[in-house]
Amino acid sequence: MTTTASSLRLAARTDQLIGSVIDSSTSLLASQTHDIVRFAMGAPNAELIPTEDFARLFTTPAVGRFDYGATEGEPELVAQVLSYLARDGHPSDAERIVITTGGMQGLDIAFKILVDPGDLVVVEAPTYTNGIGTALSYQAEILEAPIDADGMVVEALPELVARAGRTPKVIYTIPNFQNPSGTTLSEARRRRLLDLAEEWDAVIVDDDPYGALRFEGTDVPTFAQLSPGNPRIFQVRTFSKILAPGLRIGWIDVDPALRRLAINAKQAMDTCTNVPMQHVVADYLGEGALDEHLARLRAVYRERKIAARRSLFERFGDEVELTDPEGGFFLWLTLAGRYANIDTEELFPTALRHGVAYIPGPAFAASGTFRNALRICFATSTPERIAEGVQRLGAALDEHLAQAGGAA
Ligand SMILES: Cc1ncc(COP(=O)(O)O)c(C=O)c1O
């Protein structure tokens, strides 16, 4: 008898290995040969990555760089991360830090440590696709909380939790310039969330890849600033959005007792984060170039955000609703007027043919809602390319509408 893969006895958790529409779009777009304006991946364009510095630092010979490293991270990088955090008003301690393979591994470690099958995890709706995917991979049950212009509607949580009939073990939030909406959680809501976490004996997974990229408005205190040393705050951070995603270097900042578990969890995953890349980042930070680099990114992203909103309003007027992020990479577009009933997943092939890519709304909720919404990453493209992408999106929407029998 021949065995087929589909008859193998797999782990029950494979039912909840849902994959990532965002990550899959990387290969999808790589296989396209025509010109595409890329609003899809949350990635900076190559021109905003200090590639020459990285190349120079990568070839700096140093004994030990290609050995296994300490699971908690190369001491040089931990020291540089601590120095950056202190300069940025977020002092920490080496006893709290583990260098991770990007923010994704930080999330994986968080959910691995915190979630048993069937545990309730509160998430924003919409939220980061891979955040849901990671929670589900540990067989969490997802409780969606709505968002508005001030981030997660924390006031709605007690009733949602009461309806669920049990308290959450984890509250997963992206407090600054949220992925995908670009909204920021207000200070009052942060305080309330800290109280609720206490009341429910829950941990807040504070996933903040974009916080350093505020280009308008004023900083809102982080959970750790509001409640220093609170072990209920599990901070997940990454260099992906401020240096380069391909480095795959991030860190977690957690209570030392959780750090011990995080190290054990990481030892069961990948032993240590890529050692040469840790040194590239440590050396780059050691040269003191980060602050200037961040200032440049903020200026560029502000210009791109403004360009994206202007192009979208000029092309669509009140037939789209847009968020107005004060930092980060993303804005959230909800179709309105004549376009209100268009399904952005169905629209996607037409948009791709017209040379524009985005991530459809349903990718950002376990419930598959937000069918008439989409995420635009304004960080990747210049204002001219953004304007071009918006025209292509308009052409795709009009073609779709005409085919569906509506007036274009
Ligand atoms: C909210 C959020 N968390 C985590 C990540 C993952 O970061 P990394 O690429 O460093 O794994 C991303 C990347 O898009 C993100 O937007």
Side-chain angles (χ1 to χ4, degrees):
M1 183 193 123
T2 39
T3 307
T4 60
S6 58
S7 66
L8 294 175
R9 293 184 303 147
L10 302 179
R13 76 178 71 84
T14 53
D15 287 349
Q16 294 199 191
L17 288 180
I18 58 167
S20 167
V21 173
I22 302 179
D23 293 358
S24 302
S25 76
T26 304
S27 2
L28 174 71
L29 294 183
S31 67
Q32 305 296 310
T33 49
H34 64 300
D35 175 52
I36 297 170
V37 178
R38 284 152 203 260
F39 292 144
M41 284 303 281
N45 196 282
E47 107 248 18
L48 294 174
I49 297 177
T51 45
E52 284 176 16
D53 289 329
F54 292 162
R56 172 175 52 81
L57 294 168
F58 189 77
T59 52
T60 309
V63 175
R65 285 204 173 182
F66 294 89
D67 285 348
Y68 286 117
T71 304
E72 58 271 30
E74 293 297 285
E76 295 87 342
L77 180 56
V78 173
Q80 289 298 338
V81 166
L82 289 173
S83 144
Y84 162 61
L85 290 175
R87 277 199 319 279
D88 203 37
H90 307 282
S92 188
D93 189 280
E95 289 303 302
R96 298 181 52 92
I97 305 288
V98 178
I99 303 295
T100 56
T101 302
M104 275 311 302
Q105 188 176 51
L107 291 180
D108 195 43
I109 291 173
F111 289 118
K112 187 171 210 168
I113 289 178
L114 298 167
V115 169
D116 284 319
D119 280 345
L120 202 59
V121 172
V122 169
V123 304
E124 288 142 355
T127 190
Y128 176 45
T129 314
N130 298 15
I132 315 170
T134 308
L136 286 176
S137 77
Y138 290 104
Q139 295 164 287
E141 278 188 27
I142 302 292
L143 180 64
E144 295 185 343
I147 62 166
D148 64 17
D150 286 329
M152 184 194 291
V153 183
V154 175
E155 310 84 276
L157 278 181
E159 198 191 319
L160 290 170
V161 165
R163 252 189 269 152
R166 63 216 165 98
T167 54
K169 214 153 156 206
V170 174
I171 301 166
Y172 170 61
T173 179
I174 306 158
N176 295 312
F177 326 123
Q178 198 243 17
N179 181 357
S181 67
T183 57
T184 293
L185 191 64
S186 69
E187 179 174 339
R189 285 182 173 173
R190 290 177 196 218
R191 289 185 186 279
R192 179 87 174 102
L193 207 55
L194 283 163
D195 290 343
L196 288 173
E198 198 61 42
E199 187 182 322
W200 292 332
D201 193 9
V203 170
I204 297 175
V205 174
D206 161 9
D207 182 15
D208 187 17
Y210 305 99
L213 295 174
R214 175 176 282 283
F215 46 64
E216 285 168 5
T218 45
D219 278 338
V220 181
T222 61
F223 292 106
Q225 285 169 329
L226 293 172
S227 184
N230 185 338
R232 296 191 184 282
I233 306 166
F234 193 115
Q235 303 178 75
V236 176
R237 301 291 184 264
T238 177
F239 284 111
S240 293
K241 313 298 173 168
I242 57 179
L243 286 181
L247 296 167
R248 310 305 302 132
I249 305 278
W251 72 96
I252 55 173
D253 185 336
V254 294
D255 184 85
L258 284 187
R259 174 176 177 265
R260 191 61 255 160
L261 287 174
I263 290 171
N264 292 354
K266 187 169 163 65
Q267 286 174 342
M269 286 178 199
D270 65 355
T271 302
C272 63
T273 295
N274 183 311
V275 176
M277 281 307 162
Q278 289 191 64
H279 283 283
V280 167
V281 174
D283 291 350
Y284 178 83
L285 299 178
E287 290 185 343
L290 181 65
D291 296 352
E292 205 179 302
H293 177 65
L294 282 174
R296 168 152 188 261
L297 292 185
R298 291 186 197 108
V300 171
Y301 292 151
R302 176 164 190 272
E303 188 191 20
R304 292 181 180 187
K305 190 260 325 214
I306 292 170
R309 279 175 50 87
R310 188 189 309 118
S311 296
L312 287 162
F313 276 130
E314 276 171 14
R315 176 63 179 80
F316 298 116
D318 57 8
E319 292 190 309
V320 296
E321 287 160 21
L322 301 177
T323 54
D324 190 2
E326 294 187 330
F329 279 21
F330 306 114
L331 57 82
W332 184 244
L333 183 157
T334 306
L335 296 169
R338 289 176 310 149
Y339 302 131
N341 293 324
I342 290 183
D343 181 316
T344 55
E345 265 175 0
E346 287 174 13
L347 174 71
F348 188 79
T350 311
L352 200 57
R353 190 160 38 74
H354 279 271
V356 62
Y358 57 81
I359 303 290
F364 300 98
S367 56
T369 37
F370 305 111
R371 303 218 71 86
N372 67 341
L374 56 93
R375 185 188 79 176
I376 289 201
C377 174
F378 53 78
T380 315
S381 313
T382 62
E384 297 70 38
R385 288 286 287 171
I386 289 173
E388 175 63 28
V390 169
Q391 291 312 315
R392 293 178 186 182
L393 182 62
L397 277 164
D398 286 342
E399 181 184 316
H400 199 81
L401 201 61
Q403 275 169 5

